[in-house]
Amino acid sequence: MRGGFIGTGIMGGHMVRRLSEAGFDMAAWNRSPEKTAPLKDLGIEVASSAVAAATAKDFVICMLSSGPVCDEVLLGEGGVIDVMQTGSTLIVMSSIPVETARKQAEICREKGIYYIDAPVSGGEKGAREGTLAIMAGGEADDVAAMQRVFAAMGRLTPVGPVGSGQLAKLANQMIVASSICTVAEALLLAERGGADPGRVREALLGGFADSTILRQHGLRMVTNDFVPGGPARYQLKDTNTALSLAAGLGLQLPIAIGADRLFAAMVENGDGDLDHSAVIEELRRMNA
Amino acid sequence: MRGGFIGTGIMGGHMVRRLSEAGFDMAAWNRSPEKTAPLKDLGIEVASSAVAAATAKDFVICMLSSGPVCDEVLLGEGGVIDVMQTGSTLIVMSSIPVETARKQAEICREKGIYYIDAPVSGGEKGAREGTLAIMAGGEADDVAAMQRVFAAMGRLTPVGPVGSGQLAKLANQMIVASSICTVAEALLLAERGGADPGRVREALLGGFADSTILRQHGLRMVTNDFVPGGPARYQLKDTNTALSLAAGLGLQLPIAIGADRLFAAMVENGDGDLDHSAVIEELRRMNA
């Protein structure tokens, strides 16, 4: 199968390499061309434009940085969708608003193009090693047809109709945000009460309070290691997106609101570039 | 070594059995004597009173149900502490308020008795299999001297001076409470947005949002299995205790407050006997 890959940044570069290694005939495009140079040596065609990368392909993957950027490249005048063939599949793996995904899918449907929203979790490491968690929204048949494509990049879980991939990603980010906050609160309570927070964290491993966040972000908190990682301002963007969506659905989510406020305060106080686990510093400030 | 064990309920019965199997010469007492009957067959001496169980022992373990009950049996007139020998160790493994543990330790100190607060996590299964997470507060030497005793029951983590064990347990309960709430919020958002919450939960396993709560309580939420487990009213008692302690320390913990309110509403609405994972039903009610 022939594939086009649009957006070969920190993660996209690894993803297209893995697709090529898995035997797909890939063409890639990136806005800043220096990121595509190393791909040429791997036998990947470097296209001169997004449209060139997408022309005459069985599938096109979009891994650009945001909803508006995706819209511009995919739907803008002379955009990617215009050159995609009937019966091919557009896979948007960027994290974009649910509504944006649904609109893109609608436009694709009119042109006879299959559409899947499939955001990922797992970061650069997951992209490099092909162990990304891929949350796919789309018709079951459309997703099934792309199974081998996804398998080259990570572990696929179909989660429902178009937009569901983005919903799953938001659910992921909400849990991450709130869990970091609660681990910070618990370790701070232990510390202020006179216990050793590092030992408390250790004591909790393996029990009901155990989590990836307690292991990784909890360790950052007790060793004051706040080099990102995941900067707090990105975390705030995620909780904002989740809460706007919730508001649109008439949903009140009190824990997510609490987490959003903590990250907002952190960013306001100038710590937006620290790792999100530094929210424990914000709690310390609040409780100085 | 000779040990006394006070409170052989659901967990205590397994704990004293494991101590006996590990070679400690044990005497046990329980308020309702029918619970001690099976212990006799295991070669454990069944004492006629708490004081009898505690007399002439190297260590005494207290696994009664609450702070006031512990105080009554340990410190009351003709209480256990009165008969304990100088140089012996009192280990309180019940979950009790931090301040109660500190007061008990102070009284012990005056009598030349070592004191350790060592609450546990892991439930009946952990007690039966000897895999309890044991969070021990006390002087390092005092805890070290009891290492073999703890090893018979589970995994020991010393977490600081007296009271720290209880702090660690509260940290554990706070994380559990808030994590259940955030997983419920995330799955509800996914569901209301049109995704399949069961598939979303699966998609998140292995990523940053992964946790014991997502695995166990998340599964209960997507299968509507709310038979306890951990009843919501106990969860509320824990968040209340944590928040009173926080208030006493002048600490504001917004996420814990949000979780406490959700469990309070759940109990008020008559769902206090359901498993704490049924908090997703409370969120549904709030957002009906």
Side-chain angles (χ1 to χ4, degrees), chain A residues 1 58-61 84 86-92 101 104-106 108-118 134-151 156-163:
Chain A
M1 280 210 289
D58 301 300
F59 64 93
V60 174
I61 292 178
M84 284 182 68
T86 305
S88 67
T89 302
L90 175 61
I91 307 173
V92 176
Q104 292 175 351
E106 186 51 41
C108 283
R109 199 173 298 129
E110 286 164 12
K111 296 185 178 266
I113 300 166
Y114 304 115
Y115 181 94
I116 301 168
D117 66 302
I134 303 169
M135 299 156 255
E139 295 302 313
D141 288 350
D142 303 352
V143 175
M146 290 295 122
Q147 208 146 14
R148 283 186 48 239
V149 171
F150 288 121
L156 168 71
T157 310
V159 287
V162 164

Side-chain angles (χ1 to χ4, degrees), chain A residues 102 155 158-159 164 167 172 178 182 185 193 195-196 199 203 205 207-212 216 252-256 259 287, chain B residues 102 155 158-159 164 167 172 178 182 185 193 195-196 199 202-203 205 207-210 212 216 252-256 287:
Chain A
R102 288 186 180 143
R155 182 173 69 91
V159 287
S164 297
L167 280 163
N172 187 78
S178 301
T182 185
E185 286 189 354
D196 176 337
R199 304 307 303 271
L205 298 177
F208 277 128
D210 199 355
S211 67
T212 307
Q216 297 191 21
Q252 276 186 65
L253 304 174
I255 305 295
N287 290 296
Chain B
R102 288 187 180 141
R155 183 174 67 90
V159 287
S164 298
L167 281 163
N172 187 78
S178 302
T182 185
E185 286 189 355
D196 175 337
R199 305 307 303 270
E202 274 172 47
L205 299 177
F208 277 128
D210 199 355
T212 307
Q216 298 192 19
Q252 275 186 64
L253 304 175
I255 304 296
N287 291 296

Side-chain angles (χ1 to χ4, degrees), chain A residues 98 102 121-123 133-135 155-161 163-165 167-176 178-179 181-183 185-190 192-197 199-200 202-214 216-217 242 245-246 249-259 262 283 286-287, chain B residues 98 102 121-123 133-135 155-161 163-165 167-176 178-179 181-183 185-190 192-197 199-200 202-214 216-217 242 245-246 249-259 262 283 286-287:
Chain A
V98 175
R102 288 186 180 143
S121 168
I134 303 169
M135 299 156 255
R155 182 173 69 91
L156 168 71
T157 310
V159 287
S164 297
L167 280 163
K169 180 75 191 273
L170 282 177
N172 187 78
Q173 303 305 82
M174 267 178 60
I175 292 175
V176 167
S178 301
S179 300
C181 292
T182 185
V183 166
E185 286 189 354
L187 294 178
L188 186 60
L189 179 69
R192 289 283 172 92
D196 176 337
R199 304 307 303 271
V200 168
E202 274 172 48
L204 271 42
L205 298 177
F208 277 128
D210 199 355
S211 67
T212 307
I213 297 296
L214 180 68
Q216 297 191 21
H217 300 77
L245 178 72
L249 294 165
L251 265 182
Q252 276 186 65
L253 304 174
I255 305 295
I257 289 173
L262 278 174
L283 281 168
M286 266 176 61
N287 290 296
Chain B
V98 175
R102 288 187 180 141
S121 168
I134 303 168
M135 300 156 255
R155 183 174 67 90
L156 167 72
T157 310
V159 287
S164 298
L167 281 163
K169 179 76 190 274
L170 282 177
N172 187 78
Q173 303 306 82
M174 269 178 60
I175 292 176
V176 167
S178 302
S179 299
C181 293
T182 185
V183 166
E185 286 189 355
L187 293 178
L188 186 61
L189 178 70
R192 290 282 171 92
D196 175 337
R199 305 307 303 270
V200 168
E202 274 172 47
L204 270 41
L205 299 177
F208 277 128
D210 199 355
S211 66
T212 307
I213 297 295
L214 181 68
Q216 298 192 19
H217 300 76
L245 177 72
L249 294 165
L251 264 181
Q252 275 186 64
L253 304 175
I255 304 296
I257 289 172
L262 278 173
L283 281 169
M286 265 176 60
N287 291 296

